[in-house]
Coordinates of all heavy atoms in Angstrom, one line a residue:
Y50 N 15.8 0.3 -8.1 CA 16.7 0.8 -7.0 C 16.7 -0.3 -5.9 O 17.6 -0.2 -5.0 CB 16.2 2.1 -6.6 CG 14.9 2.2 -5.7 CD1 15.0 2.3 -4.3 CD2 13.7 2.1 -6.3 CE1 13.8 2.3 -3.6 CE2 12.5 2.1 -5.6 CZ 12.6 2.2 -4.2 OH 11.5 2.2 -3.4
I51 N 15.8 -1.2 -5.9 CA 15.9 -2.4 -5.0 C 16.2 -3.5 -6.0 O 15.3 -4.0 -6.7 CB 14.5 -2.7 -4.3 CG1 14.1 -1.5 -3.5 CG2 14.6 -3.9 -3.4 CD1 12.7 -1.5 -2.9
I85 N 4.5 -6.4 -2.6 CA 3.5 -5.4 -2.4 C 4.1 -4.1 -1.9 O 3.5 -3.0 -2.0 CB 2.3 -5.8 -1.5 CG1 2.7 -5.9 0.0 CG2 1.6 -7.0 -2.0 CD1 1.5 -6.0 0.9
Q86 N 5.3 -4.1 -1.4 CA 6.1 -2.9 -1.1 C 5.2 -1.9 -0.2 O 4.6 -2.3 0.7 CB 6.6 -2.2 -2.3 CG 7.8 -3.1 -2.9 CD 9.0 -3.1 -2.0 OE1 9.4 -2.1 -1.4 NE2 9.6 -4.3 -1.9
S87 N 5.1 -0.6 -0.7 CA 4.4 0.4 0.2 C 2.9 0.1 0.4 O 2.4 0.7 1.3 CB 4.5 1.7 -0.5 OG 5.8 2.2 -0.4
I88 N 2.3 -0.8 -0.3 CA 0.9 -1.1 0.0 C 0.8 -1.7 1.5 O -0.1 -1.4 2.2 CB 0.4 -2.2 -1.0 CG1 0.4 -1.6 -2.4 CG2 -1.0 -2.6 -0.6 CD1 -0.1 -2.5 -3.5
K90 N 2.2 -0.6 3.9 CA 2.2 0.5 4.9 C 0.8 0.7 5.5 O 0.7 1.2 6.6 CB 2.7 1.8 4.3 CG 4.2 1.8 4.0 CD 4.6 3.0 3.1 CE 6.0 3.0 2.8 NZ 6.4 4.1 1.8
F118 N 8.0 9.8 -2.2 CA 7.8 8.9 -1.1 C 9.0 8.8 -0.2 O 8.9 8.5 1.0 CB 7.3 7.5 -1.5 CG 8.2 6.8 -2.4 CD1 9.3 6.1 -1.9 CD2 8.0 6.8 -3.8 CE1 10.1 5.4 -2.8 CE2 8.8 6.1 -4.6 CZ 9.9 5.4 -4.2
N119 N 10.2 9.1 -0.7 CA 11.4 9.0 0.1 C 12.2 10.3 0.2 O 13.4 10.3 0.4 CB 12.3 7.9 -0.5 CG 12.7 8.2 -2.0 OD1 12.3 9.2 -2.5 ND2 13.3 7.3 -2.6
N137 N 7.7 7.0 3.2 CA 8.6 6.1 3.9 C 8.9 6.5 5.3 O 8.9 5.7 6.2 CB 9.9 6.0 3.1 CG 9.8 5.3 1.8 OD1 8.7 5.0 1.4 ND2 10.9 5.0 1.2
E181 N 16.9 -4.8 -0.2 CA 16.6 -3.4 0.1 C 17.5 -2.9 1.3 O 17.9 -1.8 1.3 CB 15.1 -3.2 0.4 CG 14.8 -1.8 0.5 CD 13.3 -1.4 0.6 OE1 12.5 -2.3 0.6 OE2 13.1 -0.2 0.6
N188 N 16.5 5.4 3.0 CA 15.7 5.1 4.2 C 16.5 5.2 5.5 O 16.0 5.6 6.5 CB 15.1 3.7 4.0 CG 13.9 3.7 3.0 OD1 13.2 4.6 3.0 ND2 13.8 2.6 2.3
Y212 N 10.8 -2.7 9.0 CA 10.4 -1.9 7.8 C 10.7 -2.7 6.5 O 9.8 -2.8 5.6 CB 11.0 -0.5 7.8 CG 10.7 0.3 6.6 CD1 9.4 0.9 6.4 CD2 11.6 0.4 5.5 CE1 9.1 1.6 5.2 CE2 11.3 1.1 4.3 CZ 10.0 1.6 4.2 OH 9.7 2.3 3.0
C216 N 7.9 -4.3 3.8 CA 7.9 -3.9 2.3 C 8.0 -5.2 1.4 O 7.7 -5.2 0.3 CB 8.9 -2.9 2.0 SG 8.7 -1.3 2.7
Y264 N 1.4 9.6 -2.9 CA 2.5 10.6 -2.8 C 2.2 11.9 -3.5 O 1.1 12.4 -3.4 CB 3.8 10.0 -3.2 CG 4.0 8.6 -2.6 CD1 3.9 7.4 -3.3 CD2 4.1 8.5 -1.2 CE1 3.9 6.2 -2.7 CE2 4.1 7.2 -0.6 CZ 4.1 6.1 -1.3 OH 4.1 4.9 -0.7
K279 N -3.9 2.6 -2.4 CA -2.5 2.7 -2.1 C -1.7 1.9 -3.2 O -2.1 0.9 -3.6 CB -2.2 2.0 -0.7 CG -0.8 2.1 -0.2 CD -0.5 3.5 0.3 CE 1.0 3.7 0.3 NZ 1.5 4.1 -1.0
S280 N -0.5 2.5 -3.5 CA 0.4 1.9 -4.5 C 1.6 1.4 -3.8 O 1.9 1.7 -2.7 CB 0.8 3.0 -5.5 OG 1.5 4.0 -4.8
G281 N 2.4 0.6 -4.6 CA 3.7 0.1 -4.2 C 4.6 0.0 -5.4 O 4.1 -0.1 -6.5
V282 N 5.9 0.1 -5.1 CA 6.9 0.1 -6.3 C 7.0 -1.3 -6.9 O 7.7 -1.4 -7.9 CB 8.3 0.7 -5.9 CG1 8.2 2.2 -5.7 CG2 8.9 0.0 -4.7
G283 N 6.3 -2.3 -6.4 CA 6.3 -3.6 -7.1 C 5.3 -3.5 -8.2 O 5.1 -4.5 -9.0
K306 N 6.6 8.9 -10.8 CA 6.2 9.1 -9.4 C 6.3 7.8 -8.6 O 6.0 7.8 -7.4 CB 4.8 9.7 -9.2 CG 4.6 10.9 -10.1 CD 5.1 12.2 -9.5 CE 4.7 13.4 -10.3 NZ 5.1 14.6 -9.7
G307 N 6.6 6.7 -9.3 CA 6.7 5.4 -8.6 C 5.4 4.7 -8.5 O 5.3 3.7 -7.7
N308 N 4.4 5.0 -9.3 CA 3.2 4.3 -9.2 C 3.0 3.6 -10.6 O 3.5 4.1 -11.6 CB 2.0 5.4 -9.1 CG 2.1 6.1 -7.7 OD1 2.5 5.5 -6.7 ND2 1.9 7.4 -7.8
Ligands
LIG4 O1 11.3 2.0 1.1 C1 11.1 1.9 -0.2 O2 11.6 2.7 -0.9 C2 10.3 0.8 -0.7 N1 10.4 -0.4 0.1 C3 8.8 1.1 -0.8 C4 8.5 2.3 -1.6 C5 7.2 2.2 -2.3 O3 6.6 1.2 -2.6 C6 6.6 3.5 -2.8 N2 5.4 3.3 -3.5 N3 4.9 3.6 -4.5

Side-chain angles (χ1 to χ4, degrees):
Y50 75 99
I51 301 170
I85 70 167
Q86 291 294 320
S87 286
I88 296 174
K90 290 170 179 171
F118 58 83
N119 54 7
N137 288 10
E181 190 169 5
N188 284 325
Y212 175 77
C216 295
Y264 314 109
K279 185 74 203 78
S280 63
V282 290
K306 310 279 186 177
N308 300 317

